[in-house]
Amino acid sequence: MGRFRDRIRICALALWLVCAAGGGWAAPGASFVMDARTGQVYAAENADARRHPASLTKMMTLYLAFAAVERGRLAMEDVVRISARAALEPGSRLGLRAGERVTLRDLITATAVRSANDAATALAEAVAGSETAFVTRMNDAARRMGLRNTRFRNAHGLTAEGHYSTARDMSLLGRQLALDFPQFFELFRQRKAQAAGREILHTNRRFLGAYAGADGIKTGYTSAAGYNLTASARRSGKRLIVTVMGAGSSAERSARVSRLMDAGFAKAPEQAEPPSPRAAPRPLLADRAPLFTAAANGAVTDASPPRGAGSVGVFALR
C-alpha cells in the first residue's frame, strides 16, 4: 500500500512538472546572483526557466520612461491626464481617477515605490500614446538588451497569457537600469515618498530596512507568480544584483535574497574592472540614432537634449 501511494505521488509530481513546462512556467526556486560591476554570475538556480514576473515588469516600464526623459521627449513636470483605462487597473493602486491630472514625476514615483498598476498604465500611455504601443517598445528594448526569455504583454505585470520572464533576464534588466540611469536610481531606495498628494510606502521596505547596503530595486507578487524580488545592494565598493522568483511569502523572499547577497559578497572581489561603454552598451541610448524608429507603432524619433532630467538628484526628497 505504501509503495502504491509513493507511485501516485511520483506520478502526480511528474504530471505537474509536465503541465508547468507546457505552460512555460518553472517549479519554485528560481534565483540569480550577479556582480553589477562586471556581469559576473555567482549563482543561478532555474535561472532560465520562464515564470510570471509580476511587477518586476515595471522595471522595463520605468526604464523606458527614464529614457524618454533623458532624450527630451518628456519632462518630469509634464502633466498627464489619467485615462479611464488606467484608472480601472486592478491590484496595487495609487487610486488615480479618470480625468485626474498628475505629473510625470508622480507617476514614476508611484510606479517605482508603490508599484501602482494605475500609475504604470498611465505612464505607458504618456510615453507612447497607448499601452499597446508601449508594449511594442518594451519588447523591442528586451530584444536589444538580450533578454532572450522575456515577453511583455502589459506595462504593469498582472498575469497575462504570453507574459513571462526569467530570473536571469530580470537581473540583467535590473543591472541595465542601474548602469544606464544612476541619476534616477536613488528613487528605488526611498522607503516612503509623496506622489499625487498621497504618501506612499515602498513595497520593498522590508529588504531596504533590514539589509545593510540595500538600494533597490523592485518587488512583484501575484498568486500565479508568487513573491518576486530583483534587489540591488552595495558594500565596500562592491555591487550585486540578485533576483528571486516564486517565493512563498514576502518574508521568505527577503530572507532568500539576503542569503544570496551574503554569499555573493563573499565571492565578489574587492576590485573589479568597471564595464566600459563597449563592454556594456546602453541598449537604447548608446548610438546616435533616434531612440525608436518604427513610427507606425507610435515610436518616437525625437533625439533632442533632455528637458527635465538634470544630471543628479532627480528624485531628491522634497
Side-chain angles (χ1 to χ4, degrees), residues 87-126:
L88 290 173
E89 292 290 9
S92 178
R93 298 166 38 79
L94 186 60
L96 298 172
R97 302 179 301 276
E100 185 175 353
R101 296 181 181 275
V102 180
T103 65
L104 189 78
R105 179 189 302 275
D106 285 340
L107 292 178
I108 287 175
T109 300
T111 301
V113 176
R114 179 70 181 89
S115 197
N117 296 328
D118 48 358
T121 296
L123 190 58
E125 293 170 345

Side-chain angles (χ1 to χ4, degrees), residues 147-166:
L147 309 185
R148 298 179 179 177
N149 284 297
T150 294
R151 187 72 179 172
F152 298 112
R153 296 298 187 201
N154 57 58
H156 42 64
L158 291 173
T159 304
E161 184 177 358
H163 187 107
Y164 57 82
S165 190
T166 67

Side-chain angles (χ1 to χ4, degrees), residues 296-315:
N297 62 22
V300 301
T301 57
D302 183 3
S304 59
R307 292 189 287 128
S311 58
V312 294
V314 176
F315 288 96

Side-chain angles (χ1 to χ4, degrees), residues 43-59:
E45 180 184 4
N46 295 325
D48 297 311
R50 294 176 178 178
R51 299 193 61 92
H52 299 285
S55 285
L56 300 189
T57 298
K58 295 183 177 85
M59 289 191 291

Side-chain angles (χ1 to χ4, degrees), residues 31-34 36 43 47 56 59 147 165-178 217 229-231 241-245:
S31 61
F32 194 77
V33 182
M34 71 187 308
L56 300 189
M59 289 191 291
L147 309 185
S165 190
T166 67
R168 183 190 303 273
D169 282 2
M170 290 294 95
S171 296
L172 291 171
L173 175 55
R175 179 180 183 238
Q176 203 72 55
L177 193 60
I217 311 178
L229 174 58
T230 295
I241 303 290
V242 172
T243 296
V244 163
M245 302 181 78

